[in-house]
Every structure is written in C-alpha cells, then in structure tokens.
Amino acid sequence: MRVLIVEDDEMIGAAVRRGLEGEGYAPDWVQDGVSAARALRDVAYDLVILDLGLPRRGGLEVLAELRRRRDAVPVLVVTARDAVSDRVRGLDAGADDYLVKPFDLDELAARVRALLRRKGGRAEPLLEIGDLALDPAAHEVRLAGAPVALSAREFALLRILMEHPGRPVSRAELEDRLYGWGREVESNAVEVHIHALRRKLGSQWIRNLRGVGWLIPERT
Ligand code: CA
C-alpha cells in the first residue's frame, strides 16, 4: 500500500512515516505543496495524508487540484487544533477524513485502515479466501482458524494478493506497493517474502506465473 505523507514538520513527518512503515505500508514523504502535486501526478497512491499548512503551495489547493482531475484517492487531512474552518474547507474540498494535531499514531493508523477499507468498497473488513483469512484491522492472518505469524512486509504482500484473488500481480507492482521511492530494493526481495509466505501457509496458496507474477487462486 503506497501512502503519500505531505507534512512540512520534520518531527511529525518522521513519526508518521515510521508508524506507517511499522504497519507494513510503503510511505513516501514530501514537505511542500509543489512536491506533493508532482508526486500525486506521478504515482498512483492508495492514500494521502495531507497537512494543510504547507510551504510553496497550500494543502487545500493541492487537494482541489486532485479532485478537479477526478482523482478519487482517499485523503486524510491533518490540521492544527484551532483551525475549525480549515477542517470544514478541507472536507468541502474533497477530503475523506481529518485528524487534528497533535494526534496519536494509533488513531492515525486506525483512520488509515478505515479509509483503505472504504476505498476497497468492502463492508466486511476481513479478507477471506477458503480457510485463509486476513484481518487488516487486527493485523492478523488465520489459516483454518489458527493464527499465522507474519512480518509486516509478508503481511502487506499477502494482503495485496488477497485483494485480487485469481489475478496475477507483477514483481514491479509488488515492489512499487511494498516499498516507497528512494528505497533500495534487493533484487530478490519479493521472492524472499513469497518464499516465507509459502513456507508458512503452504505452497498451494501462492502460484507463480513465470514472467507474469504471483497470484492467490480463488480457490485452493
Ligand atoms: Ca504544516
């Protein structure tokens, strides 16, 4: 899941990035409105966390441009405590939710999950294929009812595959969604995680289509 953090405050930006990485997301972080607009044109993000008070170009303007292009990426607006009018304007301009600074990272993570769930159009937060179940909110995977311990990346990778059962996902797409920009990705990083997942779940769960990518069968 690729998330764009737009935040000019170093401490908040770094904390949000760390928090999201810990949850298995691939965050990119930019610190002004012009860079944000550029990033949003270049990359198909799953979610944007947008501070409104930004140098070079305000967050509301960035948001308005995004919606003018009919880009429906979920946007979580972050505002200062007293800026009630900003919150209202943010929601009017097409934000999906907002958080007031200072906020708790657990709350941020919960809002992010809720927005991603809504974006996926799933009323049920649980992803289920056969007896394999992934609960994004609880960060939990169960196979035939028994919990399976996964790393944050393994969890993120499994989630991507389970969102589209039967559809192969290419290495480029997986790398793109698992890692942000400027991250050195080892050439075999995806294989390493796939290997670990197959070992933990059973190899029948993840099929490799040579030269195409990996998929989870709709039924096993
Ligand atoms: Ca700011």
Side-chain angles (χ1 to χ4, degrees), residues 50-113:
L50 180 67
D51 180 29
L52 292 186
L54 292 170
R56 297 178 77 194
R57 206 170 165 200
L60 279 174
E61 212 185 303
V62 172
L63 177 59
E65 186 201 301
L66 195 63
R67 296 311 188 218
R68 268 200 305 276
R69 284 208 311 269
R70 304 196 183 283
D71 188 328
V73 60
V75 174
L76 174 60
V77 154
V78 175
T79 67
R81 176 177 287 283
D82 50 354
V84 178
S85 61
D86 270 4
R87 255 173 275 158
V88 173
R89 280 160 62 206
L91 292 170
D92 282 347
D96 298 276
D97 198 0
Y98 69 87
L99 262 182
V100 178
K101 291 180 187 177
F103 51 82
D104 185 88
L105 279 178
D106 287 339
E107 183 178 3
L108 174 78
R111 303 266 182 134
V112 165
R113 285 192 296 267

